[in-house]
Amino acid sequence: MHYDLRISKTFLLFLIVWIIANILQSGFTDLNNDEAYYWMYSQYPAWGYFDHPPMIAMMIRAGYFLFHNELGVRIMSVLFSAASLLIIWLLIPESDQKNRNLPYYMLLAVVLPVFNIYGFIATPDSPLIFFSVLFLFANKRFSDKQTLINVLLLGFVMAAMMYSKYHAALFILFVILSDISLLRKPGFYIASVVGALLFVPHIHWQFSNGFPSFKYHLIERVSGLHAENIPEYIGNLIVFQNPVILILGIWLTFKRKTSDAFERTLKFIFYGFMIFFLVSSLRYRVQPQWTSLMSVPLIIIVFNSIDFSAIVPKVIRWTAYIMVPLIIVVRLALVIDFLPVKFLKEE
């Protein structure tokens, strides 16, 4: 597949504004509890930590080397966010409609909470989103041509995803389930071995420390079924993915026929995370950010459907009319504490 790496001046300007806005937000917003926690990680470099792999600690350490303040903690998240939006844009097939509909892509990025939150917040979901998007890009290159470079890139990105957050394993699994032909390609096994070898230092750390992360996530967090878990999960999912865009995306996946393997992959990721964590809520409380990767297929599915029905662009516009002022108020409230509701206080 040919990738046109050229981007329009309009999109370049959008990315610049996106970066500047998130840099300002980063510099003037106090760290939340989780970010301070991960900053502590960054002060003690290791191949693993109690509840997460080390990627977020590496990111914060690199940024804090440049700026010894909140901006330093978050600068890598800001850059990863912009890069994620750029790669997602490159994943969308080139066409006259694509360039004409660029304003809708920018609006979708703005109204989806996930891209706003992880546009600057420094938690493991930030590198997870970036490397998951990069994985889709690498997988498309690999599927088109199994060159050594593409094989090695795929293996490296799989390792980077796993070093970001363990949820990456689900993302990789859903991609494989959407395209079983990957298992018939020798290059995919080579890429998997490369990724596994790169992940060995973390596995060794887990082994040396008694597998604390696996015990915590798979055993200690299991609390059993509680009546409020399922409705809480559904409510968080709706809010975290933007209720209007989420419902629009679900409707579109049923109304539009899947045109190629990539669209099938997007649907598997979208519904895979939704269903997996719905089932998981039977065993423990599901946190909202665990479904953050759903926003990646969601933005592409909705954008690719703009010309499918006149309803789609109309919904995006009206959602933006409501959400943009709300987002501005919330972002200002993170800097100037004038609202009774506290935001971004993750567990």
Side-chain angles (χ1 to χ4, degrees):
M1 176 178 291
H2 171 70
Y3 295 95
D4 188 351
L5 300 181
R6 296 172 299 176
I7 59 175
S8 68
K9 293 181 180 179
T10 302
F11 188 51
L12 179 60
L13 178 61
F14 168 74
L15 290 178
I16 292 173
V17 172
W18 183 269
I19 291 172
I20 292 174
N22 284 320
I23 284 177
L24 292 173
Q25 188 80 61
S26 299
F28 291 100
T29 303
D30 292 337
L31 299 182
N32 66 30
N33 295 336
D34 280 1
E35 291 177 296
Y37 176 60
Y38 299 129
W39 176 83
M40 286 296 299
Y41 277 2
S42 73
Q43 302 306 295
Y44 303 94
W47 284 106
Y49 299 93
F50 171 68
D51 54 348
H52 285 296
M55 184 63 75
I56 186 61
M58 296 178 187
M59 287 173 55
I60 292 175
R61 188 175 183 84
Y64 204 71
F65 176 78
L66 298 174
F67 309 104
H68 289 281
N69 50 31
E70 287 85 353
L71 177 59
V73 173
R74 293 167 169 155
I75 186 63
M76 293 300 295
S77 291
V78 172
L79 298 178
F80 273 21
S81 169
S84 297
L85 291 176
L86 172 59
I87 297 172
I88 292 172
W89 180 249
L90 295 176
L91 283 169
I92 300 171
E94 290 296 324
S95 67
D96 293 336
Q97 290 79 11
K98 173 183 175 179
N99 295 319
R100 187 187 70 235
N101 293 329
L102 172 59
Y104 290 106
Y105 178 79
M106 296 187 290
L107 287 177
L108 284 169
V110 171
V111 302
L112 282 170
V114 167
F115 293 111
N116 274 276
I117 294 171
Y118 300 112
F120 69 99
I121 291 296
T123 67
D125 295 277
S126 174
L128 176 65
I129 292 170
F130 169 71
F131 285 114
S132 296
V133 171
L134 190 58
F135 175 73
L136 289 178
F137 184 83
N139 186 54
K140 288 189 75 172
R141 286 179 56 95
F142 169 79
S143 297
D144 293 338
K145 198 170 184 179
Q146 296 183 55
T147 64
L148 178 60
I149 292 178
N150 288 342
V151 169
L152 294 177
L153 175 62
L154 189 64
F156 168 80
V157 174
M158 284 195 282
M161 291 171 67
M162 291 300 298
Y163 272 115
S164 298
K165 198 171 183 178
Y166 301 120
H167 293 75
L170 289 174
F171 195 92
I172 296 171
L173 175 62
F174 295 143
V175 170
I176 295 173
L177 291 176
S178 72
D179 185 9
I180 298 298
S181 67
L182 286 171
L183 300 179
R184 296 194 292 270
K185 298 177 179 178
F188 185 78
Y189 291 96
I190 297 174
S192 299
V193 170
V194 170
L197 289 175
L198 291 173
F199 200 57
V200 164
H202 180 68
I203 297 299
H204 179 264
W205 181 91
Q206 290 286 349
F207 179 80
S208 300
N209 290 276
F211 297 97
S213 304
F214 297 147
K215 290 179 181 178
Y216 172 66
H217 288 295
L218 299 179
I219 299 174
E220 296 173 11
R221 300 194 79 159
V222 176
S223 58
L225 177 63
H226 293 280
E228 68 275 11
N229 282 5
I230 295 178
E232 180 184 41
Y233 162 71
I234 295 174
N236 285 336
L237 174 68
I238 291 173
V239 173
F240 205 64
Q241 298 297 335
N242 186 313
V244 177
I245 302 301
L246 177 63
I247 293 172
L248 179 63
I250 293 173
W251 177 73
L252 289 169
T253 59
F254 283 99
K255 293 293 290 185
R256 289 184 70 236
K257 292 183 179 180
T258 302
S259 62
D260 55 29
F262 182 61
E263 283 198 7
R264 184 168 63 250
T265 295
L266 295 176
K267 290 183 179 181
F268 266 77
I269 297 169
F270 183 69
Y271 285 108
F273 274 94
M274 186 187 301
I275 296 171
F276 178 86
F277 285 113
L278 175 61
V279 175
S280 297
S281 66
L282 298 175
R283 301 179 65 241
Y284 47 74
R285 180 172 175 262
V286 175
Q287 296 185 16
Q289 67 271 20
W290 292 356
T291 63
S292 60
L293 288 178
M294 285 178 58
S295 288
V296 174
L298 180 58
I299 190 173
I300 301 176
I301 289 170
V302 174
F303 179 80
N304 281 341
S305 306
I306 287 174
D307 294 323
F308 172 74
S309 170
I311 295 175
V312 179
K314 185 179 294 185
V315 168
I316 296 173
R317 287 196 303 270
W318 279 102
T319 303
Y321 294 152
I322 298 171
M323 285 294 297
V324 170
L326 180 61
I327 289 170
I328 292 174
V329 169
V330 171
R331 282 193 170 234
L332 286 174
L334 294 175
V335 178
I336 307 170
D337 190 7
F338 62 87
L339 292 179
V341 179
K342 305 300 178 184
F343 298 97
L344 304 178
K345 300 296 184 182
E346 301 182 34
E347 296 182 2

